[in-house]
Amino acid sequence: MIDPVAKFPSELDQLPDRDTEETAEWAASLDAVAKAAGPHRAAYLMRRTLQHAEGAGLALPKLLETDYVNTIPSSSEPVIDGDEEMERRITAWNRWNAAAMVTRGSKYGVGGHIATFASAAWLYETGFNHFFRGKEGDGSGDQLYIQGHASPGIYARAFLDGRLTEAHLDKFRQESAGDGLPSYPHPRRLPWLWEFPTVSMGLGPLSAIYQARFNRYLTNRNIKDVSNSHVWAFLGDGEMDEPESTAALALAAREGLDNLTFVINCNLQRLDGPVRANFKIVQELEAQFRGAGWNVVKSLWGGAWDELFQLDTTGALVRRLREVPDAQVQTYQTRDAAYIREDFFGKDPALVEMAKLLSDDKILECFHLSRGGHEPRKVYAAYKAALSHKGAPTVILAQTVKGFTLGDGFASKNANHQMKKLTNDEFKNMRDLLELPISDDQFVDGVVPYGHPGADSPEVRYLQERRAALGGPAPARRSHAIEALPAPADKSFAAFDKGSGSQSMATTMAFVRLMKDLIRDKTTGKRWVPIVPDEARTFGMESLFPSLGIYSPKGQTYEPVDRDQLMYYREAKDGQILNEGITEAGSMADFIAAASSYSTHGEAMIPFYIFYSMFGWQRTADQMWQLGDQLGRGFLVGATAGRTTLTGEGLQHADGHSPVIAATNPAAMSYDPAFAYEVAAIVKDGLRRMYGEAAPGEDRDVFYYLTVYNEPMPQPAKPAGIDEGIIKGLYRFNTAESAGVTVPVNASRIQLLGSGTAIHWTLQAQKLLAEEWGVAADVWSATSWTELRRDALEADAALLRGEERIPFIRKALEGVDSPVLAVSDYMRQVPDQIAQWVEQDWSSLGADGFGLSDTREAARRHFGVDAQSIVVAALAQLARRGEVPVTAVKEARERYGL
């Protein structure tokens, strides 16, 4: 008898065995099988036993990998509900036109990708014909995240359906005239077709997970029942290397998002070569997804392999498939039958015998053509299995050949991602393979023709009937007008107009207080979506926990440790707050889903995502571009902003550049408010523009970025007549005279422009300049350097069109004949955005360089932006103009220890 304790001591130390004799019998049986039938048979029995145990509901560790075969055997495949031959012809037309469109465009040098759709055609066509729900039926339909490089195939289908014309196809990647087709899915460029931008790669899968989650959020909060919507994300196996692709797998499994399916096109190739040359990407992905808790369906081999598997009585074929690396599988695609006989079958005596029963044609059919992702029955079975699985999301791993049907010059070639066209001879070979009725005469002047069976052909009628039964065209984006939301009561915004008196308040707190009031609004309050990445207490939002609840699909299954406290941690199935944990990327994906809900679901939601400003644009700027591409609306709030306001945290937390990055995004309305009333005015205007009655010609598809600060300061009352200046970016807060400082008659004067928290040092400098140097300073609040610049750029463009227009910055400073000194808690590049349009003598101060840990006062002195530094800079600027003695500058430096 084998002693199991001696064989497995460490495991049994942790798992006490109450019947060692029975355990020994099982171990002995396994050893006997291994000895009599070989280790492969023993391993097979173990895997089948574990699978059986899992199916019986026994609590066992997950089996992370299965054999390199299809999950669904041919005998279990459901019958396709449709005309397979008709769908084959439709797919053939779409393959042809996708390749023709890119090839015809190549003469203009605009590029395009052919090989991806060629490999994935059936993955899309099967979905369009049988599964993807459109938006003209009940509910919101399905959400489709199309792989970016497959876009030519989607355009080809829209052409067959009559949604696009030949003229459209001939303007692929030629958009400047206004009616071209964007290279990839871009809602901003083609808003009636594309819903979701999926390039940059990796952002699609992350967003798909959070979209599926947001669908549940809407349903659980009784905003709209979207339980019939399914999210489909089409991805490439190479794309799965992006960390964002797999960042939220555990979330999807943890929350049981069975309304989500990933379809990964495993053509074993990335952009330059094999995905896992010496390994197997399918097996790696299977283990990764299974380990995260997903249901995995593999569709690897086509029907031609059925005969080979039936001949595999020893398991040698399955073993060989499991051990051959991906790059070698790719090589088989390009080699003849003799090579495959020697290299694949020749490694095992049992396979040598099997190969004797196979003709060369059979071997080539299996290794060149027959893949699970290329056969509609296999794909249909996988999709049915995904939709029927409950309690977890599903990933379908479909094996294909990159460049399939494009000819030997494309299929499985490492360079096929960069190959942008086919020759006419290659097209004619493709035509013959696809059995398309296109004659040689149609190649006029050597130009490949588009193909179309006719608007009233059986193929087009069938396609349109299938889509009508599924709820209308797909993909499609709803671009209909959404009814404007009623504006919240003015009292929520006016509450800040009187200022805070002697009480100090940080603008972060002002924003949170405003949100609390707006969320109480009986009409629109439920539409606010507060999003925070596990820093709610930092921003003073913990008071919202018990009143709004933190969203959790399971509710609260425990008694919180702080249940007896007023602001206890309350989770709820209908909770309003999305508290995402430590994931800025996940929080941004939440924001994007909520920000585009007005289109996706016809329900306008108002997300505000509040975060450490340093960990916003710097960390997730690519997603901010995705948000802009998706025409999202909402409020991004960079809290604890600025380079010097966050004491003690140091370099990695000191944000001195987010407004620079934000300024690069045309969809971002970027503001740096100094006072609480400015925050209220900007939010009020944002609600009007994005959700209310926008002005004629005003773009509603924008989002607002506000920087707010954690430094408590007295909040002044709102001066009269400044609303336009707050929104456009600049207004005069006070003059030396209205500030109550005493200056000599005919004193030298300077204009101090400050933004955000810097205005407080500017006000201190105003007092010092008057009391110690006899200089009059007027203080201006620059709420948005970026909006001032954009307005000026638009004025410049208008001049080129022959229109007379004066930039707002010049109007605001009109009549000012004194120099201007701009001050910011960000790098000087931020205020310097407007320098070229300021007619007065210009200078600026900012916090350039790396941040550091210290007190606020020490940090500001280090960067030269404190009140005393402002005074010296102002005197230096006036001295250059001869308006104060040069000696005053030296005297000031010495007095202030600079």
Side-chain angles (χ1 to χ4, degrees), residues 605-626:
M605 304 300 288
I606 313 172
F608 75 87
Y609 167 33
I610 187 168
F611 48 87
Y612 261 112
S613 66
M614 185 67 159
F615 304 138
W617 285 89
Q618 173 169 301
R619 196 157 195 169
T620 57
D622 201 9
Q623 288 178 286
M624 273 78 162
W625 278 97
Q626 181 187 13

Side-chain angles (χ1 to χ4, degrees), residues 362-407:
K362 182 65 178 181
I363 289 174
L364 293 179
E365 180 186 12
C366 288
F367 284 84
H368 285 192
L369 303 175
S370 188
R371 298 290 188 274
H374 293 323
E375 297 192 8
R377 289 196 176 196
K378 306 294 184 185
V379 177
Y380 184 89
Y383 287 5
K384 287 281 273 190
L387 291 180
S388 63
H389 186 84
K390 301 303 178 185
T394 294
V395 59
I396 295 170
L397 304 174
Q399 186 163 270
T400 66
V401 175
K402 194 168 186 178
F404 188 68
T405 72
L406 297 180

Side-chain angles (χ1 to χ4, degrees), residues 589-613:
D590 262 338
F591 186 90
I592 292 169
S596 53
S597 179
Y598 74 92
S599 172
T600 308
H601 295 298
E603 294 287 345
M605 304 300 288
I606 313 172
F608 75 87
Y609 167 33
I610 187 168
F611 48 87
Y612 261 112
S613 66

Side-chain angles (χ1 to χ4, degrees), residues 840-860:
Q840 293 78 7
D841 183 22
W842 172 272
S843 184
S844 64
L845 296 175
D848 285 78
F850 289 110
L852 74 165
S853 301
D854 213 313
T855 64
R856 293 186 178 110
E857 293 76 14
R860 287 163 189 165

Side-chain angles (χ1 to χ4, degrees), residues 327-624:
Q328 192 63 23
V329 174
Q330 181 182 342
T331 297
Y332 293 148
Q333 176 70 30
T334 65
R335 298 302 182 90
D336 59 20
Y339 178 88
I340 298 170
R341 285 183 187 276
E342 179 182 351
D343 191 85
F344 181 84
F345 292 98
K347 304 297 184 182
D348 187 294
L351 294 181
V352 171
E353 294 303 312
M354 179 190 294
K356 292 178 181 178
L357 303 175
L358 304 174
S359 67
D360 285 355
D361 287 344
K362 182 65 178 181
I363 289 174
L364 293 179
E365 180 186 12
C366 288
F367 284 84
H368 285 192
L369 303 175
S370 188
R371 298 290 188 274
H374 293 323
E375 297 192 8
R377 289 196 176 196
K378 306 294 184 185
V379 177
Y380 184 89
Y383 287 5
K384 287 281 273 190
L387 291 180
S388 63
H389 186 84
K390 301 303 178 185
T394 294
V395 59
I396 295 170
L397 304 174
Q399 186 163 270
T400 66
V401 175
K402 194 168 186 178
F404 188 68
T405 72
L406 297 180
D408 294 340
F410 266 82
S412 281
K413 296 298 174 65
N414 281 338
N416 59 22
H417 185 79
Q418 303 302 326
M419 298 162 68
K420 311 299 183 187
K421 60 184 178 180
L422 277 69
T423 66
N424 280 355
D425 286 342
E426 288 171 326
F427 266 111
K428 292 173 183 178
N429 290 334
M430 181 182 177
R431 170 200 63 191
D432 297 340
L433 175 65
L434 298 176
E435 299 177 347
L436 290 172
I438 297 173
S439 68
D440 290 354
D441 294 340
Q442 292 176 257
F443 288 76
V444 179
D445 296 327
V447 177
V448 58
Y450 293 119
H452 199 293
D456 196 40
S457 65
E459 291 91 339
V460 173
R461 288 201 306 271
Y462 180 89
L463 180 155
Q464 294 174 341
E465 288 168 2
R466 298 302 301 181
R467 289 310 316 158
L470 286 166
R477 179 181 180 274
R478 281 182 171 154
S479 54
H480 57 261
I482 303 298
E483 184 177 350
L485 296 180
D490 272 342
K491 64 179 182 180
S492 297
F493 306 102
F496 300 93
D497 290 355
K498 295 180 180 180
S500 63
S502 60
Q503 180 184 2
S504 292
M505 177 195 301
T507 51
T508 296
M509 293 300 100
F511 177 82
V512 171
R513 185 176 298 181
L514 175 62
M515 289 304 105
K516 290 177 182 177
D517 288 344
L518 295 176
I519 289 171
R520 292 192 193 104
D521 186 271
K522 293 181 179 180
T523 305
T524 59
K526 68 179 182 179
R527 297 192 176 275
W528 285 91
V529 184
I531 303 168
V532 61
D534 201 36
E535 289 281 6
R537 298 182 195 278
T538 300
F539 309 133
M541 293 174 59
E542 67 269 27
S543 63
L544 299 178
F545 289 170
S547 58
L548 300 184
I550 300 165
Y551 173 73
S552 169
K554 289 186 175 293
Q556 193 155 39
T557 62
Y558 60 92
E559 183 177 353
V561 67
D562 55 358
R563 182 63 180 86
D564 57 343
Q565 298 179 15
L566 180 63
M567 293 184 287
Y568 70 97
Y569 195 86
R570 184 176 77 88
E571 297 187 79
K573 190 173 182 179
D574 62 349
Q576 194 164 350
I577 301 170
L578 292 173
N579 192 348
E580 288 304 354
I582 305 174
T583 167
E584 287 84 7
S587 299
M588 266 308 301
D590 262 338
F591 186 90
I592 292 169
S596 53
S597 179
Y598 74 92
S599 172
T600 308
H601 295 298
E603 294 287 345
M605 304 300 288
I606 313 172
F608 75 87
Y609 167 33
I610 187 168
F611 48 87
Y612 261 112
S613 66
M614 185 67 159
F615 304 138
W617 285 89
Q618 173 169 301
R619 196 157 195 169
T620 57
D622 201 9
Q623 288 178 286
M624 273 78 162

Side-chain angles (χ1 to χ4, degrees), residues 245-287:
S245 295
T246 55
L249 298 186
L251 166 72
R254 182 170 65 246
E255 299 201 359
L257 298 181
D258 50 23
N259 60 338
L260 169 68
T261 297
F262 276 15
V263 181
I264 303 181
N265 177 20
C266 298
N267 57 35
L268 313 185
Q269 289 182 252
R270 55 162 77 106
L271 307 187
D272 287 330
V275 177
R276 292 291 183 272
N278 296 296
F279 306 94
K280 301 190 80 63
I281 185 60
V282 168
Q283 300 300 86
E284 178 183 320
L285 292 173
E286 179 183 27

Side-chain angles (χ1 to χ4, degrees), residues 769-789:
L769 282 166
E771 294 178 351
E772 300 186 13
W773 305 99
V775 171
D778 301 336
V779 173
W780 300 67
S781 179
T783 55
S784 180
W785 308 104
T786 300
E787 290 309 305
L788 290 171
R789 175 180 174 80

